[in-house]
Each structure stands twice: as C-alpha cells, then as structure tokens.
Amino acid sequence: MTIRVLICDQLPVIADGLRTLLDAVPDIDVIGTTDNGMEAIVSVRTTRPDVVVTDLSLQTISGLEMIRRLGKEDDPPNVVVFTASDADKTVSDVLHAGASCLLGKDASPQELITAIQAAAAGQTMLAPNIAQRLVTWFLEQPERQESDLCPEVTELTPREREVTRMVARGMSTEEVARELIIGEATVRTHLYRVRTKLGVRDRAELVSLAYRTGLIHSAGQPLGDERLEPVIGLRAG
C-alpha cells in the first residue's frame, strides 16, 4: 500500500529535501508541501493524506494548533512531528495534541521513513532520546494506588470503610453486626450503599476492589493515614 504524505515546514530547503528523500521510497507518495498551517488543513481535507510530516513552526497557525485541529477532522491523518525542539514541554504538548510520532531533526533518513511507516500503521514512535527520558520520568514516579483509578472510594464514609474492611477479611454479615454491636439490617444497608457508590454488583467484586484500591492490605491492615469512625463505648472489653 502506498502511503500518501503531506510535508509541512516553513523552510523550503527542508521541505524540498524531505520531498526528495521520500520520493525515492517505493511505498511513499509525497502529495504536497506547505509552510502554512491553515493551508495544510485545507490540503488534508481535499487530498486525504495518510500521514502529515510537520515541524511545529508554521505560518498562520503553529504546527501544534494544526495537529489539534486535524484531530477533530472526520478522518484525521496520522502525524509525524519532525522538529528541532525536544524540550519536555514540547514533548508533552505534542503527545497530548495527538501526534503519532516525534523525531528530532537530527534523526537519520531511515528513522524518518520508519516513523512514517509506523504512523501509517497506527503505531507510535519516539526518538530514542525522548523515549529514554519518558521511561526515566515514569520510573521516578511514586507507585500509584489503585484508588487513584477509582475516585469513588473517597466518597465512602468512615463506617462504610470499616464495614468493607471487615467483609473483605471474610467476616459474615452476622459477625460484622456482632463486632460493631449494630443490627444485621444496618450492616446490609452499609454494604448496599458501598456497592452503589463503587459500582460493584456483589460481595466478591467488593472484596476484590477493596484490596486493589488499598482499602485493605493483603495482611488485613488499614492504610496508615486512615481515620476510622470512633465507636467508643460500643465494643466489648
């Protein structure tokens, strides 16, 4: 399959050089070049390229804004950003805008060709130095609690958390009621409210979620910063 490519760069010497390079590749067809972001959007609508290769510095609108607008098209092309800037903010902005691949202008011709082929296939490719920085950043981040992925956990009351922990440890409704000196109907009400808030269907899902979100550790101990609802005077002994 031939990959149709549109090149966007405000420097003619670079745009022409890229065209010469890519025209020599059997499965790539350069359908045009432009130094203008708005013109590029119009060209995408009329010529339907598979891949847009662009710098971030363009006329009328920036390459970043062009990428954002292309992402809103009915059939958006994949985008390879080919730029001299590899600052952290540039990398973040480009990826959030929706680009498939990001290369520096020190990339080799083969790296650019490979990036275009990857983008056409719906894959992602980053320059090696950028990929290494992202990996380093990721490894430096603290391990996320699964509760970050289930913000509804924060909506539980202290009593609901306590009942959830007890059930997760294998206690029956009757045992929870006896331990907390409350009615079994009250325990069932707490469990119903917990399942509703967390969107779980049954006790098995509730127990699984309790462990995954850190509501209870595998050893059965609550998190260190949890404050349980006081039940002074209610517990035997």
Side-chain angles (χ1 to χ4, degrees):
M1 181 186 72
T2 299
I3 303 171
R4 295 163 53 79
V5 175
L6 173 66
I7 298 171
C8 306
D9 199 297
Q10 67 175 348
L11 297 179
V13 65
I14 293 180
D16 292 344
L18 291 177
R19 179 164 203 158
T20 299
L21 167 68
L22 298 177
D23 274 341
V25 181
D27 64 342
I28 293 179
D29 177 22
V30 177
I31 60 175
T33 64
T34 180
D35 62 357
N36 187 301
M38 290 301 298
E39 184 176 288
I41 293 174
V42 173
S43 180
V44 166
R45 292 172 179 171
T46 56
T47 63
R48 299 296 180 185
D50 302 300
V51 176
V52 173
V53 177
T54 185
D55 192 1
L56 297 179
S57 297
L58 299 175
Q59 301 294 327
T60 64
I61 62 173
S62 70
L64 197 62
E65 178 61 22
M66 181 194 72
I67 296 169
R68 292 192 184 105
R69 296 192 187 189
L70 288 178
K72 298 177 182 179
E73 295 291 311
D74 292 335
D75 186 19
N78 293 303
V79 177
V80 173
V81 174
F82 186 58
T83 183
S85 174
D86 66 349
D88 288 347
K89 188 175 189 315
T90 299
V91 174
S92 176
D93 288 345
V94 164
L95 295 179
H96 279 101
S100 300
C101 303
L102 174 58
L103 297 178
K105 286 196 172 177
D106 58 348
S108 68
Q110 186 55 52
E111 285 176 329
L112 177 60
I113 294 168
T114 301
I116 292 172
Q117 293 168 335
Q123 300 170 349
T124 298
M125 177 176 166
L126 302 176
N129 65 313
I130 295 173
Q132 182 58 53
R133 278 160 48 197
L134 286 177
V135 170
T136 300
W137 172 85
F138 177 79
L139 293 176
E140 290 174 348
Q141 302 309 300
E143 186 175 354
R144 293 183 62 188
Q145 288 287 340
E146 288 288 338
S147 56
D148 293 340
L149 305 180
C150 185
E152 294 80 6
V153 168
T154 62
E155 298 178 7
L156 301 182
T157 67
R159 175 65 88 185
E160 290 167 350
R161 287 169 179 259
E162 188 173 28
V163 169
T164 300
R165 290 191 186 99
M166 298 174 80
V167 169
R169 292 172 192 151
M171 296 177 68
S172 67
T173 300
E174 294 79 4
E175 289 170 332
V176 173
R178 212 165 34 241
E179 176 71 15
L180 299 180
I181 314 180
I182 57 178
E184 293 180 20
T186 302
V187 175
R188 293 191 186 95
T189 297
H190 284 312
L191 289 174
Y192 172 78
R193 289 174 178 168
V194 169
R195 289 197 300 269
T196 299
K197 289 180 180 180
L198 301 184
V200 297
R201 293 172 297 179
D202 51 36
R203 182 174 296 220
E205 285 191 7
L206 176 61
V207 172
S208 174
L209 187 62
Y211 278 98
R212 287 189 292 108
T213 59
L215 272 175
I216 182 172
H217 292 317
S218 58
Q221 296 299 321
L223 295 177
D225 60 351
E226 288 292 336
R227 298 184 180 274
L228 300 184
E229 181 182 28
V231 285
I232 298 174
L234 294 182
R235 296 181 188 272

